[in-house]
Amino acid sequence: MYNRYGRRDNKYKARIKILVKELTPEVFAQKVEEEWSHLKDGPATLIEEEVQRIEGRFTRPVYARLPPKDTFLEAMLTAEKAFANWHRRNVHPHKVPGYAAVTLSLKRTGSAPGDVSAEQMDAIASLAERYSFGELRVSHEQNLIFADVCAPDLHALWREIRPLGLSTPNIGLLTNIIACPGGDFCSLANAKSIPVAQAIQRRFDDLDYLHDIGELDLNISGCVNSCGHHHIGHIGVLGGDKKGEEFYQISIGGAQGVHASLGTVIGPAFAQDQVPDIVEKLVQVYLEEREGEEERFIDTVRRIGIEPFKDYVYGTNHQTRRRNSGHLAAA
Ligand code: SF4
């Protein structure tokens, strides 16, 4: 439908969301259904034989037969807290016993999210050869993944990626920020994204605090084209421009995945240097309101709504909020 009706005459309007808005979601859905009724069960239908034919073109890694638990790995997890932290956040289960998928974090404090140097890439390519069947994947969250690492190698791999700055144990946490290139590199930008991400990373650089906050997606886009997916961040930051000045609109409650939702803008926008303070205030409300450590930021927003966050950020609720540990105090 986008191919047929999309706005090819105007590059700023060449977006499917613009078309959906112009047609209305109902009319767009109706047109998709009409088209589908012609295609359904036609020659393009995917059948099992075709899946098998395509699968036959791919070779799978030659996995070793490994026990589901590795005694050396278990010992290292007990002996080294930093390794255990990294394993908890950056190592993911694998369908083959004895293997794991590993995320190399490109979100070290002070780095541009997703940025990697030529020297790092050379080193990563060589590590992929040794640890993951020569294969490397890129995630939409702007990290790199070794998809097939055997458990006995995990500790050695961790030791090798540490000096390369690729072992920050922050996958799924607040500093694993998705940020578009923004005003530093993109000619369509209204505002910068990277310095905002770096300022938030610096504010939340304490790993204990970060792990205490738990799972939280924060996404930043430098304009409404939304390449940083701000609208599906648990916290979303959207850069704008008003009379030559950059400002940032904050939304909360967005999510990707099975229970996807769009974030709601909490109110008037902020100057760039205010954004870390606002994020900190949102986190403070969450830490005070959450029902147990298992309740994630997004769950709390869904349970209590955006009003308590809004009240605190815009000062209608002057109560001082403090984390139990007293790590940060509200202004
Ligand atoms: S969202 Fe970011 S990368 Fe995308 S067009 Fe806007 S400024 Fe450029």
Side-chain angles (χ1 to χ4, degrees):
M1 287 304 100
Y2 175 70
N3 192 35
R4 190 174 302 166
Y5 298 113
R7 291 286 302 272
R8 294 178 187 284
D9 58 320
N10 182 333
K11 70 176 178 179
Y12 296 103
K13 296 193 172 183
R15 300 280 185 283
I16 196 166
K17 65 185 177 186
I18 303 279
L19 177 64
V20 171
K21 194 173 179 196
E22 280 180 359
L23 289 177
T24 75
E26 292 74 24
V27 172
F28 185 84
Q30 184 195 335
K31 288 188 178 298
V32 170
E33 289 298 338
E34 283 168 11
E35 187 68 10
W36 177 237
S37 68
H38 302 306
L39 296 171
K40 196 166 181 284
D41 300 325
T45 303
L46 188 61
I47 54 175
E48 186 55 31
E49 288 78 8
E50 183 63 2
V51 173
Q52 284 175 10
R53 187 185 69 81
I54 293 168
E55 202 174 9
R57 304 280 180 135
F58 291 87
T59 50
R60 296 203 183 280
V62 185
Y63 295 112
R65 274 181 175 273
L66 296 170
K69 286 214 169 201
D70 182 75
T71 48
F72 175 71
L73 171 63
E74 299 293 318
M76 288 299 106
L77 288 172
T78 309
E80 292 190 54
K81 187 179 173 226
F83 174 60
N85 275 343
W86 172 80
H87 187 274
R88 187 152 58 95
R89 296 297 344 166
N90 297 29
V91 177
H92 320 288
H94 200 287
K95 61 185 174 185
V96 177
Y99 282 82
V102 171
T103 300
L104 308 185
S105 172
L106 303 184
K107 310 294 175 68
R108 186 173 53 161
T109 297
S111 65
D115 210 7
V116 63
S117 69
E119 291 73 23
Q120 282 174 314
M121 274 314 293
D122 279 342
I124 291 166
S126 130
L127 290 171
E129 292 291 345
R130 287 164 44 218
Y131 289 104
S132 193
F133 298 96
E135 192 173 308
L136 178 66
R137 299 183 190 171
V138 178
S139 75
H140 85 279
E141 290 184 345
Q142 300 175 310
N143 292 305
L144 297 173
I145 295 171
F146 287 165
D148 304 285
V149 182
C150 68
D153 283 349
L154 285 170
H155 187 259
L157 174 60
W158 173 70
R159 287 177 69 92
E160 294 213 45
I161 62 174
R162 279 182 94 185
L164 295 170
L166 302 168
S167 66
T168 311
N170 64 350
I171 303 308
L173 304 180
L174 197 159
T175 56
N176 183 32
I177 297 168
I178 296 178
C180 78
D184 290 299
F185 298 101
C186 176
S187 58
L188 298 177
N190 291 130
K192 289 186 174 156
S193 301
I194 293 170
V196 178
Q198 290 168 324
I200 296 170
Q201 286 170 334
R202 281 193 293 274
R203 181 66 62 92
F204 291 91
D205 193 34
D206 179 334
L207 279 176
D208 286 337
Y209 183 40
L210 198 61
H211 283 246
D212 186 20
I213 296 166
E215 286 184 25
L216 205 168
D217 293 341
L218 192 151
N219 299 350
I220 307 174
S221 300
C223 79
V224 291
N225 289 325
S226 313
C227 303
H229 300 180
H230 66 278
H231 48 301
I232 53 163
H234 299 166
I235 297 176
V237 179
L238 169 64
D241 174 282
K242 214 181 260 177
K243 295 182 184 154
E245 285 212 19
E246 295 184 357
F247 66 90
Y248 295 85
Q249 196 178 61
I250 310 285
S251 55
I252 59 174
Q256 60 177 337
V258 178
H259 303 291
S261 55
L262 297 179
T264 305
V265 176
I266 60 169
F270 300 95
Q272 187 185 114
D273 61 359
Q274 291 178 294
V275 175
D277 291 339
I278 302 307
V279 172
E280 194 174 305
K281 286 189 168 193
L282 294 170
V283 168
Q284 284 169 347
V285 175
Y286 157 64
L287 289 173
E288 187 167 290
E289 297 289 342
R290 71 179 173 186
E291 291 186 341
E293 291 185 7
E294 294 306 308
E295 185 175 270
R296 300 169 307 158
F297 179 90
I298 181 67
D299 302 324
T300 304
V301 175
R302 285 174 175 162
R303 182 171 54 78
I304 67 176
I306 71 164
E307 290 306 320
F309 294 91
K310 204 170 153 172
D311 286 352
Y312 189 48
V313 165
Y314 293 100
T316 47
N317 175 355
H318 294 288
Q319 173 195 3
T320 299
R321 291 177 182 264
R322 284 176 190 275
R323 287 181 68 233
N324 292 338
S325 68
H327 179 92
L328 294 168

